[in-house]
Amino acid sequence: MGKKVVHEAHAKLNQWFATAICGNDILSSTFYVSGIAIIFAGVYAPLVMAFIGLVLFFYKAVYTEVVEALPINGGAYNCLLNATSKSVASLAGVTTILSYVATAVISGKTAVEYLDAIIKVPVTILTIGLLGFFAVLVIMGLKDSAKVALTIFAFHIISLIAFLILGAFYIFHGGHNYLLANLAQTTKTLTPNSSGLLKALFFGFAASMLGVSGFESSANFVEEQQKGVFRKTLRNMLVTVAVFNPLIALIILNVMPIDAIAAAKDFILADAAHIFAGHIFEVVLVADAFLVLAGAVLTGFVGVSGLIYRMASDAVLPNFFTKENSKGSYPRIVIAFFILCTSILLVTGGDLLALAGVYTIAFLTVMSLFALGNLILRETRSELKRTYHAPVVFVVLALLSTVLGIIGNINLEPKNLTYFATYFIPAVILIFLFANMDLIIKNLMRVTRKIPFIYNFLERNFDDMHEGRFLAFVHHIDRLHSILDYVNKNETGWNITLVHSACEEHKNDVGKGAKDVQDVIDTLQKAGVFPHLRVNVVFEDKPFGPELIEEVSKKFKVRKNRILIGSIHNFHPFDYADLGGVRIIF
């Protein structure tokens, strides 16, 4: 219990700290997404930006329903783990990790390139230094990281507000206005026929979906947020994106011709700032770009820490990564992520075109999988306790939007799919090796039986894995087949302890429920159903809840992520988060 207290004291974030961590990622898009949208959609870019805000409105409902029902780190991985199977969830986990790698490397290098525009610096070396700085910061504790993130986020918001105010003042007080000329050029280019305009709007929408990257991040560190904060982070990100991106695009269309916008798309805000506010404000915007893109690197470290810890706890990745320090962070995950990002930066030689393709497809796939998981969860976990129910039409529209975004981006640059597959396939192979760690550990113990120090280490640290132990709570005999079928399909360990706890139904006949369960198990085994499973039934004279979870975990030496339960209902006095990471399987 002492470990948990330390974690609570150092890692629970209020809405502003939590918003800042993921907000720096999503709002870093203000520096490039307007230029992208204008290149494709011309003067219709603000409408494209507004529509993307609507997509985030739909996804706000999607994420709120699932994450408040299952408030455990992991995002799409956790959603699909509880809705489908470990194999399907692992695919989402791999895709999310690739998204974070791309976020950290691309954001870090782009941040340094902005700095290089002011003072010449060694870009690659300084990018590695920036990655290292945030790695150390995250290891030092989430609170310290969040303070830095909030400072960056506040400066960025102030800079954007100043951009809008100074831009509007320039437009309404005699500055050269290009809006009508840009309208004429857009009309001439895009509207000889309706299909030309629709095609431009579609590709503008698809390319501008880069502007929603980061929205998925909050779900990956929800356990580090105070209760009720997650929903607020989604609201805050939605509002900032829906307000700033359309207005910024509108200001730029007024102060610059489209040809100049296309030429300056990578530094569009800084160039526009120079036009209506001079060199000093241009420098301010460049400094802001450096800081907020650096803040997006921090988002990558924080998000991947929560995700990999969750996947390691589920034996999808090595348990080695679950080591926690006194600050509530996971240094092994952070160091491994830093090494991975640095390696990719060096291997690519700083040319991140391939990684940009991975980035686009990866985060849109993650969001699509989350929406799909929401729909599946409605069918497979209909009894799950929920604080909010997203309208089905919102979920479907959200899924359709990001799928169209993926299709559009692949059409814009077909090589993106090749780049994505190049990173994705090896990662999937690696993940699936780890997901079958039960079998690997068992075979390692077999071949190292005569090497005591290796054998003893494996036996001591992976006892429940090499024994294939799982523990499942069961209150109703009609759920027995579902439990056994789940383990049979998803796990390589087949040593199952079924726990029947004290309940109101059998208060006058203690242990009767366990006897009923044992009778059904005997019947199934005589009939030859799941003959390879070794099933033991026990009775615990205590009501189901966090205390009993803790007790049986220690008693049977089974990690909580290997404890299987049914859905938490509205009548339960506790939430899923109180149970310490057990797995809901029906």
Side-chain angles (χ1 to χ4, degrees):
M1 295 300 290
K3 186 177 180 180
K4 185 177 181 179
V5 172
V6 171
H7 184 73
E8 292 277 352
H10 290 283
K12 295 295 180 181
L13 305 174
N14 64 30
Q15 69 161 311
W16 301 116
F17 284 140
T19 298
I21 288 174
C22 42
N24 284 327
D25 189 0
I26 195 167
L27 271 191
S28 65
S29 66
T30 54
F31 286 101
Y32 54 80
V33 75
S34 294
I36 292 172
I38 292 169
I39 289 170
F40 285 101
V43 294
Y44 299 104
L47 295 178
V48 171
M49 296 287 95
F51 186 75
I52 287 174
L54 181 62
V55 172
L56 284 188
F57 175 75
F58 295 147
Y59 264 106
K60 176 178 176 291
V62 174
Y63 273 83
T64 298
E65 177 180 349
V66 175
V67 176
E68 288 191 353
L70 300 167
I72 299 294
N73 291 345
Y77 165 79
N78 186 53
C79 173
L80 289 169
L81 180 67
N82 287 284
T84 56
S85 67
K86 186 188 285 188
S87 298
V88 175
S90 297
L91 296 177
V94 170
T95 309
T96 309
I97 292 171
L98 290 179
S99 177
Y100 279 129
V101 169
T103 295
V105 178
I106 293 173
S107 297
K109 185 169 184 289
T110 307
V112 175
E113 286 174 340
Y114 265 95
L115 187 63
D116 187 56
I118 303 176
I119 52 172
K120 293 300 177 183
V121 295
V123 174
T124 300
I125 293 174
L126 197 58
T127 301
I128 295 172
L130 189 66
L131 291 167
F133 170 77
F134 282 111
V136 172
L137 191 63
V138 172
I139 290 172
M140 288 173 61
L142 199 55
K143 276 288 187 182
D144 292 333
S145 304
K147 289 175 183 176
V148 173
L150 184 58
T151 302
I152 294 171
F153 187 69
F155 181 71
H156 185 48
I157 294 293
I158 292 169
S159 299
L160 293 181
I161 291 173
F163 180 92
L164 295 178
I165 292 173
L166 293 172
F169 184 85
Y170 174 84
I171 293 166
F172 291 111
H173 289 80
H176 195 297
N177 195 317
Y178 289 95
L179 185 62
L180 292 179
N182 287 335
L183 176 60
Q185 183 173 341
T186 300
T187 302
K188 181 180 178 181
T189 305
L190 301 182
T191 57
N193 56 69
S194 59
S195 63
L197 177 60
L198 290 175
K199 185 177 180 180
L201 291 174
F202 172 67
F203 285 123
F205 162 76
S208 300
M209 283 295 283
L210 278 167
V212 307
S213 174
F215 193 78
E216 77 284 2
S217 294
S218 186
N220 283 305
F221 63 96
V222 65
E223 290 181 66
E224 282 68 61
Q225 300 171 29
Q226 294 173 3
K227 191 170 185 177
V229 162
F230 175 74
R231 187 184 297 208
K232 295 175 182 177
T233 67
L234 300 185
R235 177 201 63 196
N236 295 341
M237 285 190 286
L238 167 62
V239 170
T240 53
V241 169
V243 170
F244 282 119
N245 281 347
L247 292 179
I248 288 171
L250 192 59
I251 292 291
I252 292 171
L253 282 164
N254 274 276
V255 303
M256 296 177 71
I258 286 180
D259 291 341
I261 293 170
K265 67 180 188 302
D266 293 332
F267 296 89
I268 188 67
L269 262 65
D271 284 15
H274 181 81
I275 291 170
F276 61 70
H279 179 66
I280 292 177
F281 192 53
E282 178 186 15
V283 172
V284 170
L285 263 294
V286 170
D288 178 37
F290 169 75
L291 289 173
V292 78
L293 286 163
V297 175
L298 175 61
T299 304
F301 275 100
V302 173
V304 85
S305 293
L307 172 63
I308 290 182
Y309 175 79
R310 174 64 172 155
M311 293 176 71
S313 296
D314 290 330
V316 176
L317 288 171
N319 197 54
F320 168 84
F321 289 118
T322 61
K323 179 69 174 179
E324 185 178 7
N325 66 14
S326 61
K327 298 289 186 178
S329 61
Y330 308 101
R332 292 174 179 177
I333 295 175
V334 174
I335 293 169
F337 187 66
F338 167 74
I339 293 172
L340 178 61
C341 291
T342 301
S343 301
I344 288 175
L345 179 67
L346 294 174
V347 167
T348 59
D351 181 7
L352 303 179
L353 178 63
L355 206 57
V358 174
Y359 180 49
T360 304
I361 294 178
F363 85 83
L364 287 175
T365 300
V366 168
M367 294 187 73
S368 299
L369 288 172
F370 202 99
L372 181 62
N374 180 296
L375 293 173
I376 296 172
L377 206 62
R378 290 164 182 261
E379 296 298 319
T380 60
R381 306 288 183 268
S382 59
E383 298 175 349
L384 181 66
K385 182 178 180 180
R386 290 169 168 84
T387 58
Y388 173 78
H389 292 266
V392 176
V393 66
F394 284 12
V395 184
V396 173
L397 288 173
L399 176 59
L400 181 62
S401 298
T402 44
V403 168
L404 287 175
I406 295 170
I407 293 170
N409 275 284
I410 292 173
N411 273 275
L412 284 170
E413 182 49 78
K415 287 183 179 178
N416 283 350
L417 189 59
T418 303
Y419 294 145
F420 177 75
T422 301
Y423 286 86
F424 181 73
I425 292 173
V428 167
I429 293 171
L430 193 62
I431 290 291
F432 274 88
L433 284 175
F434 287 126
N436 289 283
M437 190 60 71
D438 288 34
L439 287 177
I440 295 173
I441 293 294
K442 194 177 296 184
N443 286 318
L444 278 175
M445 291 190 69
R446 185 177 296 118
V447 299
T448 60
R449 193 172 295 276
K450 294 183 179 180
I451 310 175
F453 74 96
I454 296 178
Y455 180 85
N456 292 336
F457 173 81
L458 294 173
E459 186 177 41
R460 183 171 60 253
N461 291 279
F462 302 98
D463 184 39
D464 54 351
M465 291 181 66
H466 72 75
E467 290 290 339
R469 289 202 300 271
F470 285 89
L471 192 150
F473 279 87
V474 56
H475 286 135
H476 303 288
I477 57 176
D478 57 348
R479 297 290 196 186
L480 280 175
H481 189 276
S482 297
I483 295 171
L484 301 180
D485 186 55
Y486 177 88
V487 175
N488 182 56
K489 288 180 178 178
N490 292 279
E491 304 296 343
T492 57
W494 294 334
N495 191 346
I496 308 165
T497 298
L498 297 174
V499 180
H500 193 283
S501 58
C503 59
E504 190 69 20
E505 182 181 350
H506 298 113
K507 64 181 180 180
N508 296 321
D509 190 356
V510 175
K512 182 180 185 302
K515 295 173 186 174
D516 293 340
V517 171
Q518 186 64 64
D519 289 342
V520 174
I521 291 297
D522 292 342
T523 301
L524 289 174
Q525 290 181 334
K526 287 178 182 177
V529 179
F530 307 122
H532 52 287
L533 298 182
R534 298 184 297 279
V535 184
N536 180 42
V537 181
V538 299
F539 172 73
E540 294 292 330
D541 193 12
K542 182 178 289 188
F544 175 77
E547 289 185 8
L548 184 55
I549 293 286
E550 187 72 30
E551 186 176 302
V552 297
S553 176
K554 293 177 180 178
K555 180 178 180 179
F556 295 99
K557 297 181 180 179
V558 175
R559 276 167 278 196
K560 291 179 184 176
N561 65 288
R562 296 172 76 87
I563 296 178
L564 316 176
I565 68 168
S567 298
I568 305 301
H569 302 293
N570 289 317
F571 58 78
H572 284 122
F574 48 81
D575 293 320
Y576 177 67
D578 299 324
L579 302 181
V582 298
R583 197 185 311 173
I584 293 177
I585 64 167
F586 56 80

